[in-house]
mmCIF file of all heavy atoms in Angstrom:
data_model
loop_
_atom_site.group_PDB
_atom_site.id
_atom_site.type_symbol
_atom_site.label_atom_id
_atom_site.label_comp_id
_atom_site.label_asym_id
_atom_site.label_seq_id
_atom_site.Cartn_x
_atom_site.Cartn_y
_atom_site.Cartn_z
ATOM 1 N N ALA K 1 21.082 6.705 -29.552
ATOM 2 C CA ALA K 1 22.004 5.682 -29.920
ATOM 3 C C ALA K 1 22.791 5.142 -28.896
ATOM 4 O O ALA K 1 23.408 4.027 -28.992
ATOM 5 C CB ALA K 1 22.889 6.280 -31.063
ATOM 6 N N TRP K 2 22.809 5.804 -27.659
ATOM 7 C CA TRP K 2 23.561 5.263 -26.514
ATOM 8 C C TRP K 2 23.054 3.906 -26.138
ATOM 9 O O TRP K 2 23.808 3.047 -25.584
ATOM 10 C CB TRP K 2 23.409 6.245 -25.350
ATOM 11 C CG TRP K 2 22.033 6.318 -24.833
ATOM 12 C CD1 TRP K 2 21.171 7.329 -25.139
ATOM 13 C CD2 TRP K 2 21.353 5.464 -23.890
ATOM 14 N NE1 TRP K 2 19.907 7.173 -24.461
ATOM 15 C CE2 TRP K 2 19.958 6.071 -23.709
ATOM 16 C CE3 TRP K 2 21.668 4.303 -23.245
ATOM 17 C CZ2 TRP K 2 19.078 5.429 -22.831
ATOM 18 C CZ3 TRP K 2 20.785 3.771 -22.426
ATOM 19 C CH2 TRP K 2 19.421 4.262 -22.240
ATOM 20 N N ALA K 3 21.739 3.597 -26.289
ATOM 21 C CA ALA K 3 21.214 2.288 -25.930
ATOM 22 C C ALA K 3 21.742 1.135 -26.668
ATOM 23 O O ALA K 3 21.685 -0.033 -26.219
ATOM 24 C CB ALA K 3 19.729 2.320 -26.060
ATOM 25 N N LEU K 4 22.376 1.355 -27.793
ATOM 26 C CA LEU K 4 22.939 0.292 -28.579
ATOM 27 C C LEU K 4 24.177 -0.219 -28.016
ATOM 28 O O LEU K 4 24.688 -1.277 -28.434
ATOM 29 C CB LEU K 4 23.180 0.752 -30.068
ATOM 30 C CG LEU K 4 21.944 1.175 -30.828
ATOM 31 C CD1 LEU K 4 22.360 1.933 -32.099
ATOM 32 C CD2 LEU K 4 21.145 0.011 -31.178
ATOM 33 N N ARG K 5 24.800 0.418 -27.070
ATOM 34 C CA ARG K 5 26.005 -0.002 -26.419
ATOM 35 C C ARG K 5 25.746 -1.337 -25.547
ATOM 36 O O ARG K 5 26.629 -2.094 -25.448
ATOM 37 C CB ARG K 5 26.556 1.027 -25.542
ATOM 38 C CG ARG K 5 27.087 2.277 -26.206
ATOM 39 C CD ARG K 5 27.937 2.989 -25.246
ATOM 40 N NE ARG K 5 28.196 4.390 -25.642
ATOM 41 C CZ ARG K 5 29.045 5.221 -24.995
ATOM 42 N NH1 ARG K 5 29.671 4.733 -23.920
ATOM 43 N NH2 ARG K 5 29.229 6.408 -25.328
ATOM 44 N N GLN K 6 24.549 -1.484 -25.020
ATOM 45 C CA GLN K 6 24.317 -2.494 -24.084
ATOM 46 C C GLN K 6 23.012 -3.279 -24.421
ATOM 47 O O GLN K 6 21.934 -2.639 -24.495
ATOM 48 C CB GLN K 6 24.253 -1.988 -22.603
ATOM 49 C CG GLN K 6 25.521 -1.320 -22.147
ATOM 50 C CD GLN K 6 25.314 -0.889 -20.795
ATOM 51 O OE1 GLN K 6 24.248 -0.756 -20.194
ATOM 52 N NE2 GLN K 6 26.432 -0.401 -20.142
ATOM 53 N N PRO K 7 23.072 -4.573 -24.690
ATOM 54 C CA PRO K 7 21.837 -5.316 -25.008
ATOM 55 C C PRO K 7 20.780 -5.160 -23.921
ATOM 56 O O PRO K 7 19.661 -5.095 -24.267
ATOM 57 C CB PRO K 7 22.392 -6.780 -25.062
ATOM 58 C CG PRO K 7 23.800 -6.699 -25.417
ATOM 59 C CD PRO K 7 24.273 -5.434 -24.719
ATOM 60 N N TYR K 8 21.156 -5.119 -22.657
ATOM 61 C CA TYR K 8 20.177 -4.883 -21.668
ATOM 62 C C TYR K 8 19.425 -3.602 -21.763
ATOM 63 O O TYR K 8 18.155 -3.547 -21.541
ATOM 64 C CB TYR K 8 20.876 -4.951 -20.159
ATOM 65 C CG TYR K 8 20.016 -4.407 -19.073
ATOM 66 C CD1 TYR K 8 18.887 -5.119 -18.746
ATOM 67 C CD2 TYR K 8 20.154 -3.099 -18.588
ATOM 68 C CE1 TYR K 8 18.103 -4.596 -17.654
ATOM 69 C CE2 TYR K 8 19.342 -2.574 -17.588
ATOM 70 C CZ TYR K 8 18.289 -3.313 -17.103
ATOM 71 O OH TYR K 8 17.515 -2.814 -16.202
ATOM 72 N N ALA K 9 20.153 -2.609 -22.138
ATOM 73 C CA ALA K 9 19.462 -1.246 -22.334
ATOM 74 C C ALA K 9 18.422 -1.298 -23.424
ATOM 75 O O ALA K 9 17.349 -0.784 -23.246
ATOM 76 C CB ALA K 9 20.581 -0.182 -22.601
ATOM 77 N N LEU K 10 18.713 -1.973 -24.480
ATOM 78 C CA LEU K 10 17.778 -2.077 -25.589
ATOM 79 C C LEU K 10 16.470 -2.816 -25.073
ATOM 80 O O LEU K 10 15.388 -2.417 -25.359
ATOM 81 C CB LEU K 10 18.344 -2.944 -26.744
ATOM 82 C CG LEU K 10 19.232 -2.065 -27.705
ATOM 83 C CD1 LEU K 10 19.767 -3.008 -28.796
ATOM 84 C CD2 LEU K 10 18.531 -0.985 -28.327
ATOM 85 N N ASP K 11 16.635 -3.906 -24.350
ATOM 86 C CA ASP K 11 15.545 -4.670 -23.849
ATOM 87 C C ASP K 11 14.689 -3.828 -22.885
ATOM 88 O O ASP K 11 13.464 -3.933 -22.890
ATOM 89 C CB ASP K 11 15.993 -5.930 -23.233
ATOM 90 C CG ASP K 11 16.633 -6.934 -24.148
ATOM 91 O OD1 ASP K 11 16.372 -6.814 -25.369
ATOM 92 O OD2 ASP K 11 17.455 -7.801 -23.666
ATOM 93 N N ALA K 12 15.354 -3.017 -22.071
ATOM 94 C CA ALA K 12 14.578 -2.295 -21.041
ATOM 95 C C ALA K 12 14.074 -1.016 -21.537
ATOM 96 O O ALA K 12 13.296 -0.317 -20.793
ATOM 97 C CB ALA K 12 15.629 -2.032 -19.821
ATOM 98 N N LEU K 13 14.531 -0.543 -22.723
ATOM 99 C CA LEU K 13 14.149 0.740 -23.177
ATOM 100 C C LEU K 13 12.641 1.068 -23.216
ATOM 101 O O LEU K 13 12.242 2.151 -22.748
ATOM 102 C CB LEU K 13 14.768 1.020 -24.549
ATOM 103 C CG LEU K 13 15.162 2.417 -24.961
ATOM 104 C CD1 LEU K 13 15.932 3.170 -23.897
ATOM 105 C CD2 LEU K 13 15.902 2.467 -26.258
ATOM 106 N N PRO K 14 11.802 0.262 -23.905
ATOM 107 C CA PRO K 14 10.428 0.613 -23.926
ATOM 108 C C PRO K 14 9.796 0.767 -22.572
ATOM 109 O O PRO K 14 9.011 1.708 -22.315
ATOM 110 C CB PRO K 14 9.764 -0.599 -24.659
ATOM 111 C CG PRO K 14 10.892 -1.124 -25.489
ATOM 112 C CD PRO K 14 12.090 -0.981 -24.636
ATOM 113 N N ALA K 15 10.054 -0.185 -21.594
ATOM 114 C CA ALA K 15 9.493 -0.015 -20.249
ATOM 115 C C ALA K 15 9.983 1.258 -19.508
ATOM 116 O O ALA K 15 9.240 1.926 -18.865
ATOM 117 C CB ALA K 15 9.837 -1.264 -19.418
ATOM 118 N N PHE K 16 11.241 1.510 -19.793
ATOM 119 C CA PHE K 16 11.836 2.781 -19.135
ATOM 120 C C PHE K 16 11.146 3.996 -19.647
ATOM 121 O O PHE K 16 10.752 4.948 -18.867
ATOM 122 C CB PHE K 16 13.354 2.827 -19.406
ATOM 123 C CG PHE K 16 13.969 4.136 -19.047
ATOM 124 C CD1 PHE K 16 14.057 4.524 -17.750
ATOM 125 C CD2 PHE K 16 14.351 5.062 -20.043
ATOM 126 C CE1 PHE K 16 14.624 5.735 -17.293
ATOM 127 C CE2 PHE K 16 14.947 6.221 -19.662
ATOM 128 C CZ PHE K 16 15.073 6.627 -18.311
ATOM 129 N N GLU K 17 11.052 4.047 -21.015
ATOM 130 C CA GLU K 17 10.385 5.312 -21.561
ATOM 131 C C GLU K 17 8.985 5.481 -21.113
ATOM 132 O O GLU K 17 8.523 6.594 -20.789
ATOM 133 C CB GLU K 17 10.424 5.182 -23.153
ATOM 134 C CG GLU K 17 11.793 5.279 -23.777
ATOM 135 C CD GLU K 17 12.252 6.697 -23.993
ATOM 136 O OE1 GLU K 17 11.882 7.564 -23.121
ATOM 137 O OE2 GLU K 17 13.019 6.908 -24.853
ATOM 138 N N ALA K 18 8.245 4.433 -20.963
ATOM 139 C CA ALA K 18 6.932 4.433 -20.459
ATOM 140 C C ALA K 18 6.837 4.905 -18.951
ATOM 141 O O ALA K 18 5.991 5.738 -18.538
ATOM 142 C CB ALA K 18 6.201 3.095 -20.645
ATOM 143 N N SER K 19 7.794 4.375 -18.208
ATOM 144 C CA SER K 19 7.753 4.535 -16.730
ATOM 145 C C SER K 19 8.074 5.986 -16.345
ATOM 146 O O SER K 19 7.705 6.359 -15.235
ATOM 147 C CB SER K 19 8.693 3.606 -16.082
ATOM 148 O OG SER K 19 10.050 4.007 -16.333
ATOM 149 N N ILE K 20 8.699 6.772 -17.146
ATOM 150 C CA ILE K 20 9.152 8.128 -16.778
ATOM 151 C C ILE K 20 8.138 9.164 -17.216
ATOM 152 O O ILE K 20 8.292 10.364 -16.929
ATOM 153 C CB ILE K 20 10.527 8.553 -17.313
ATOM 154 C CG1 ILE K 20 10.491 8.552 -18.902
ATOM 155 C CG2 ILE K 20 11.596 7.670 -16.759
ATOM 156 C CD1 ILE K 20 11.765 9.136 -19.459
ATOM 157 N N ASN K 21 6.982 8.760 -17.779
ATOM 158 C CA ASN K 21 6.045 9.717 -18.315
ATOM 159 C C ASN K 21 5.463 10.627 -17.158
ATOM 160 O O ASN K 21 5.151 11.749 -17.382
ATOM 161 C CB ASN K 21 4.892 9.044 -19.019
ATOM 162 C CG ASN K 21 5.259 8.723 -20.514
ATOM 163 O OD1 ASN K 21 5.656 9.580 -21.280
ATOM 164 N ND2 ASN K 21 5.158 7.423 -20.885
ATOM 165 N N ASP K 22 5.289 10.046 -15.964
ATOM 166 C CA ASP K 22 4.755 10.845 -14.900
ATOM 167 C C ASP K 22 5.617 12.019 -14.480
ATOM 168 O O ASP K 22 5.178 12.996 -13.887
ATOM 169 C CB ASP K 22 4.438 9.991 -13.636
ATOM 170 C CG ASP K 22 5.659 9.335 -13.082
ATOM 171 O OD1 ASP K 22 6.345 8.617 -13.798
ATOM 172 O OD2 ASP K 22 5.889 9.561 -11.873
ATOM 173 N N LEU K 23 6.950 11.970 -14.821
ATOM 174 C CA LEU K 23 7.804 13.112 -14.576
ATOM 175 C C LEU K 23 7.429 14.364 -15.289
ATOM 176 O O LEU K 23 7.764 15.442 -14.935
ATOM 177 C CB LEU K 23 9.254 12.770 -14.879
ATOM 178 C CG LEU K 23 10.067 11.680 -14.077
ATOM 179 C CD1 LEU K 23 11.406 11.428 -14.659
ATOM 180 C CD2 LEU K 23 10.046 12.039 -12.635
ATOM 181 N N PHE K 24 6.728 14.188 -16.387
ATOM 182 C CA PHE K 24 6.328 15.292 -17.228
ATOM 183 C C PHE K 24 4.981 15.901 -16.846
ATOM 184 O O PHE K 24 4.566 16.937 -17.402
ATOM 185 C CB PHE K 24 6.217 14.850 -18.681
ATOM 186 C CG PHE K 24 7.483 14.297 -19.315
ATOM 187 C CD1 PHE K 24 7.903 13.062 -18.999
ATOM 188 C CD2 PHE K 24 8.250 15.064 -20.118
ATOM 189 C CE1 PHE K 24 9.064 12.620 -19.498
ATOM 190 C CE2 PHE K 24 9.406 14.663 -20.675
ATOM 191 C CZ PHE K 24 9.867 13.384 -20.356
ATOM 192 N N ALA K 25 4.253 15.313 -15.915
ATOM 193 C CA ALA K 25 2.892 15.731 -15.599
ATOM 194 C C ALA K 25 2.813 17.057 -14.927
ATOM 195 O O ALA K 25 1.747 17.646 -14.902
ATOM 196 C CB ALA K 25 2.158 14.645 -14.722
ATOM 197 N N ASP K 26 3.855 17.584 -14.322
ATOM 198 C CA ASP K 26 3.838 18.850 -13.641
ATOM 199 C C ASP K 26 4.164 19.967 -14.641
ATOM 200 O O ASP K 26 4.197 21.142 -14.225
ATOM 201 C CB ASP K 26 4.835 18.869 -12.483
ATOM 202 C CG ASP K 26 4.389 18.087 -11.294
ATOM 203 O OD1 ASP K 26 3.182 18.051 -11.072
ATOM 204 O OD2 ASP K 26 5.274 17.461 -10.682
ATOM 205 N N GLY K 27 4.479 19.654 -15.910
ATOM 206 C CA GLY K 27 4.667 20.672 -16.859
ATOM 207 C C GLY K 27 5.980 21.485 -16.681
ATOM 208 O O GLY K 27 6.019 22.682 -17.034
ATOM 209 N N ARG K 28 6.976 20.835 -16.177
ATOM 210 C CA ARG K 28 8.297 21.381 -15.965
ATOM 211 C C ARG K 28 9.358 20.799 -16.872
ATOM 212 O O ARG K 28 10.563 21.313 -16.824
ATOM 213 C CB ARG K 28 8.742 21.329 -14.559
ATOM 214 C CG ARG K 28 7.708 22.065 -13.620
ATOM 215 C CD ARG K 28 8.262 22.000 -12.133
ATOM 216 N NE ARG K 28 7.247 22.519 -11.299
ATOM 217 C CZ ARG K 28 7.468 22.920 -10.057
ATOM 218 N NH1 ARG K 28 8.725 22.977 -9.604
ATOM 219 N NH2 ARG K 28 6.525 23.409 -9.253
ATOM 220 N N LEU K 29 9.047 19.730 -17.592
ATOM 221 C CA LEU K 29 10.011 19.012 -18.354
ATOM 222 C C LEU K 29 9.416 18.724 -19.663
ATOM 223 O O LEU K 29 8.234 18.341 -19.847
ATOM 224 C CB LEU K 29 10.289 17.782 -17.640
ATOM 225 C CG LEU K 29 11.227 16.716 -18.360
ATOM 226 C CD1 LEU K 29 12.618 17.224 -18.658
ATOM 227 C CD2 LEU K 29 11.248 15.367 -17.579
ATOM 228 N N SER K 30 10.325 18.870 -20.687
ATOM 229 C CA SER K 30 9.971 18.391 -22.118
ATOM 230 C C SER K 30 11.175 17.579 -22.596
ATOM 231 O O SER K 30 12.284 18.031 -22.376
ATOM 232 C CB SER K 30 9.627 19.579 -23.010
ATOM 233 O OG SER K 30 9.565 19.060 -24.351
ATOM 234 N N ALA K 31 10.935 16.536 -23.245
ATOM 235 C CA ALA K 31 12.088 15.705 -23.773
ATOM 236 C C ALA K 31 11.770 15.178 -25.197
ATOM 237 O O ALA K 31 10.633 14.818 -25.480
ATOM 238 C CB ALA K 31 12.342 14.553 -22.836
ATOM 239 N N VAL K 32 12.722 15.305 -26.076
ATOM 240 C CA VAL K 32 12.648 14.781 -27.375
ATOM 241 C C VAL K 32 13.763 13.616 -27.450
ATOM 242 O O VAL K 32 14.977 13.936 -27.373
ATOM 243 C CB VAL K 32 12.974 15.847 -28.391
ATOM 244 C CG1 VAL K 32 12.947 15.157 -29.818
ATOM 245 C CG2 VAL K 32 11.900 16.922 -28.375
ATOM 246 N N CYS K 33 13.298 12.414 -27.620
ATOM 247 C CA CYS K 33 14.149 11.227 -27.698
ATOM 248 C C CYS K 33 14.343 10.887 -29.183
ATOM 249 O O CYS K 33 13.406 10.531 -29.822
ATOM 250 C CB CYS K 33 13.458 10.125 -26.924
ATOM 251 S SG CYS K 33 13.094 10.476 -25.228
ATOM 252 N N GLN K 34 15.561 11.024 -29.640
ATOM 253 C CA GLN K 34 15.831 10.921 -31.087
ATOM 254 C C GLN K 34 16.314 9.465 -31.459
ATOM 255 O O GLN K 34 17.349 9.041 -30.955
ATOM 256 C CB GLN K 34 16.878 11.960 -31.497
ATOM 257 C CG GLN K 34 16.402 13.402 -31.259
ATOM 258 C CD GLN K 34 17.435 14.413 -31.706
ATOM 259 O OE1 GLN K 34 18.635 14.328 -31.330
ATOM 260 N NE2 GLN K 34 16.979 15.449 -32.411
ATOM 261 N N TYR K 35 15.462 8.753 -32.219
ATOM 262 C CA TYR K 35 15.760 7.462 -32.549
ATOM 263 C C TYR K 35 16.117 7.267 -33.991
ATOM 264 O O TYR K 35 15.284 7.691 -34.846
ATOM 265 C CB TYR K 35 14.578 6.507 -32.208
ATOM 266 C CG TYR K 35 14.447 6.253 -30.743
ATOM 267 C CD1 TYR K 35 13.620 7.024 -29.892
ATOM 268 C CD2 TYR K 35 14.959 5.060 -30.125
ATOM 269 C CE1 TYR K 35 13.487 6.752 -28.528
ATOM 270 C CE2 TYR K 35 14.819 4.775 -28.829
ATOM 271 C CZ TYR K 35 14.119 5.596 -28.115
ATOM 272 O OH TYR K 35 13.939 5.335 -26.689
ATOM 273 N N ASP K 36 17.293 6.744 -34.260
ATOM 274 C CA ASP K 36 17.678 6.513 -35.696
ATOM 275 C C ASP K 36 16.919 5.279 -36.203
ATOM 276 O O ASP K 36 17.134 4.141 -35.753
ATOM 277 C CB ASP K 36 19.197 6.211 -35.683
ATOM 278 C CG ASP K 36 19.793 6.200 -37.148
ATOM 279 O OD1 ASP K 36 18.997 5.919 -38.068
ATOM 280 O OD2 ASP K 36 20.947 6.540 -37.357
ATOM 281 N N ARG K 37 16.091 5.546 -37.114
ATOM 282 C CA ARG K 37 15.220 4.482 -37.718
ATOM 283 C C ARG K 37 15.958 3.419 -38.291
ATOM 284 O O ARG K 37 15.515 2.258 -38.416
ATOM 285 C CB ARG K 37 14.197 5.116 -38.659
ATOM 286 C CG ARG K 37 13.022 4.139 -39.104
ATOM 287 C CD ARG K 37 12.066 3.887 -37.937
ATOM 288 N NE ARG K 37 11.074 2.961 -38.364
ATOM 289 C CZ ARG K 37 11.223 1.653 -38.315
ATOM 290 N NH1 ARG K 37 12.277 1.033 -37.921
ATOM 291 N NH2 ARG K 37 10.152 0.871 -38.654
ATOM 292 N N ARG K 38 17.185 3.720 -38.674
ATOM 293 C CA ARG K 38 18.001 2.646 -39.424
ATOM 294 C C ARG K 38 18.611 1.643 -38.462
ATOM 295 O O ARG K 38 19.122 0.626 -38.854
ATOM 296 C CB ARG K 38 19.154 3.393 -40.219
ATOM 297 C CG ARG K 38 18.649 4.391 -41.203
ATOM 298 C CD ARG K 38 19.732 5.345 -41.659
ATOM 299 N NE ARG K 38 20.163 6.181 -40.530
ATOM 300 C CZ ARG K 38 21.174 7.154 -40.719
ATOM 301 N NH1 ARG K 38 21.760 7.369 -41.828
ATOM 302 N NH2 ARG K 38 21.537 7.882 -39.624
ATOM 303 N N LEU K 39 18.642 1.950 -37.155
ATOM 304 C CA LEU K 39 19.305 1.136 -36.180
ATOM 305 C C LEU K 39 18.370 0.190 -35.310
ATOM 306 O O LEU K 39 18.957 -0.634 -34.633
ATOM 307 C CB LEU K 39 20.178 2.057 -35.279
ATOM 308 C CG LEU K 39 21.108 2.958 -35.906
ATOM 309 C CD1 LEU K 39 21.866 3.788 -34.931
ATOM 310 C CD2 LEU K 39 22.117 2.192 -36.782
ATOM 311 N N TYR K 40 17.137 0.432 -35.468
ATOM 312 C CA TYR K 40 16.220 -0.316 -34.554
ATOM 313 C C TYR K 40 15.325 -1.152 -35.365
ATOM 314 O O TYR K 40 14.701 -0.730 -36.395
ATOM 315 C CB TYR K 40 15.393 0.627 -33.662
ATOM 316 C CG TYR K 40 16.230 1.416 -32.605
ATOM 317 C CD1 TYR K 40 16.808 2.543 -32.985
ATOM 318 C CD2 TYR K 40 16.405 0.847 -31.370
ATOM 319 C CE1 TYR K 40 17.624 3.306 -32.000
ATOM 320 C CE2 TYR K 40 17.155 1.562 -30.437
ATOM 321 C CZ TYR K 40 17.780 2.753 -30.817
ATOM 322 O OH TYR K 40 18.492 3.398 -29.821
ATOM 323 N N ASP K 41 15.083 -2.437 -34.914
ATOM 324 C CA ASP K 41 14.169 -3.319 -35.675
ATOM 325 C C ASP K 41 12.774 -2.936 -35.382
ATOM 326 O O ASP K 41 12.401 -2.142 -34.499
ATOM 327 C CB ASP K 41 14.406 -4.759 -35.238
ATOM 328 C CG ASP K 41 13.967 -5.080 -33.759
ATOM 329 O OD1 ASP K 41 12.901 -4.728 -33.393
ATOM 330 O OD2 ASP K 41 14.821 -5.679 -33.064
ATOM 331 N N GLY K 42 11.852 -3.373 -36.286
ATOM 332 C CA GLY K 42 10.444 -2.922 -36.322
ATOM 333 C C GLY K 42 9.694 -3.086 -35.011
ATOM 334 O O GLY K 42 9.077 -2.145 -34.526
ATOM 335 N N ASP K 43 9.842 -4.239 -34.370
ATOM 336 C CA ASP K 43 9.072 -4.485 -33.133
ATOM 337 C C ASP K 43 9.546 -3.574 -32.034
ATOM 338 O O ASP K 43 8.770 -2.970 -31.391
ATOM 339 C CB ASP K 43 9.264 -5.959 -32.738
ATOM 340 C CG ASP K 43 8.469 -6.266 -31.490
ATOM 341 O OD1 ASP K 43 7.243 -6.185 -31.389
ATOM 342 O OD2 ASP K 43 9.170 -6.582 -30.394
#
């Protein structure tokens, strides 16, 4: 829900989430990103 504070953050969110996937490739990190379905539009 932090991303809702800044319009730029919302626009940049999908690209950011995709770009950090390589951080997980060494098997030292796991992350659960919790998105409130009521707050985000479908697209």
Side-chain angles (χ1 to χ4, degrees):
W2 64 264
L4 297 168
R5 292 195 196 187
Q6 298 181 349
Y8 164 74
L10 280 178
D11 294 338
L13 206 51
F16 169 72
E17 292 278 29
S19 70
I20 62 172
N21 278 305
D22 63 303
L23 291 179
F24 297 79
D26 289 325
R28 302 182 185 201
L29 171 65
S30 172
V32 177
C33 306
Q34 299 179 313
Y35 284 88
D36 191 333
R37 191 67 182 84
R38 301 164 295 182
L39 302 178
Y40 292 87
D41 66 51
D43 178 64

